[in-house]
Amino acid sequence: MAINKLSGVEWDAIAAVGGTAKANIAAIGGPEAPAGTTQASRWMIAGHAGKICSTDTADASEGWSEIVDLGNMDLMNVAIGHDNSGNKRWVLQGNAGYLAEIWYANNSLDLTDSNNWSSVTHTNNNIAADGGGPGVAWGNDVWIAGGKPYNDGDSYLTMMRSTDGAGSWSAIDEGNTVNDQTRVVCYKSGDIWAMGHQSHVWVSTNNGVAWTDKVTLEGTKDVEGMAYDGSSLWVAVLQSGNIYTSDDDWDSATERSSATGTSHNWGVVYAGGNINKWVISSSSGKISYSSDGISWTAATSGTTDHLYGIATDDTTIVIVGSSGTILTSPDGINWTSRTSNVSVTLRNVACDIIGAGMR
């Protein structure tokens, strides 16, 4: 018998139990973890020119196609979470000229029908940034999106927050005085969130309402991607190509040696399950992996295209990049190019397993 909820919370929404990452839990009190919870049934990509690509193939090896065109904008971020009724919802963040735009649709709808996608336009110019992300994320019934800064008179606001399933958004005044972008926002657990603004890592302990500037990693070099292993380690990757790790609370950080010599890291995930590796996507086709987040090894990608977004369901890892590039791997080491059937830049990717890759 498989469990579907724990203490009233859907299994897909749980990141860890008692400090142990969900992907590493075989059973709780006897019942096995529900079948399929670590294998996606849908993958989705946010692309330039308003294009959304998707596949229903579990290992993302085939079936990729453009499912809908949302118009003249660059979609930069995509994430899966819930609406305010507990239904799975996709949220994408992009820009249309000088306007920030959020698009959302419930997973149960026909996502090929543009009429099933709703949009929210923001006049505060909080346009999606171009990091590896995740630039928009869900957790604890809250959506948070990062973006480019705008000045409210005494500080630079770089984030928005929604408590109604992404239907409406309000600006977050984190008290930041640096004129730069928030490229990555991450939900940890409980009320705890983390985000990267320039090379600063900020943490919220009240569900994204207020934020504390915890640590500065490297001058003015942007934090492009960040992920958590569900128990004790954060990894952040920077525009400089450098890698940093930290404990649970970002009280301090340590620089780690890169394996690729890349000039620009974009995204990072922690793949649990049988993979149990950190994986980084970088410029010029560079990929690196690590079992501990400390020592890194270069993988062969087979491409020189820039590799931006990265996601996992703890069974497969998917990376997307320029010129319609899609790569998949079962282990973070061996990579295969897949046919995307589009030629635009693909910026970010997610699967329908909530919390995968971020724990």
Side-chain angles (χ1 to χ4, degrees), residues 235 243 256-259 278-280 288-290 293-298:
V235 172
I243 304 165
R256 306 300 181 181
S257 297
S258 172
W278 298 89
V279 182
I280 295 173
S288 52
Y289 64 89
S290 172
I294 298 171
S295 300
W296 293 85
T297 302

Side-chain angles (χ1 to χ4, degrees), residues 17 31 160 164 183 187 194 199 207 222 276 313 333 346:
V17 179
M160 300 178 294
D164 64 356
R183 299 173 187 261
Y187 174 68
S199 73
N207 230 16
D222 292 313
N276 285 319
D313 63 355
I333 302 171
L346 304 178

Side-chain angles (χ1 to χ4, degrees), residues 27-46:
I28 299 176
E32 294 177 353
T37 55
T38 58
Q39 189 163 30
S41 57
R42 173 174 283 158
W43 297 83
M44 189 172 294
I45 297 172

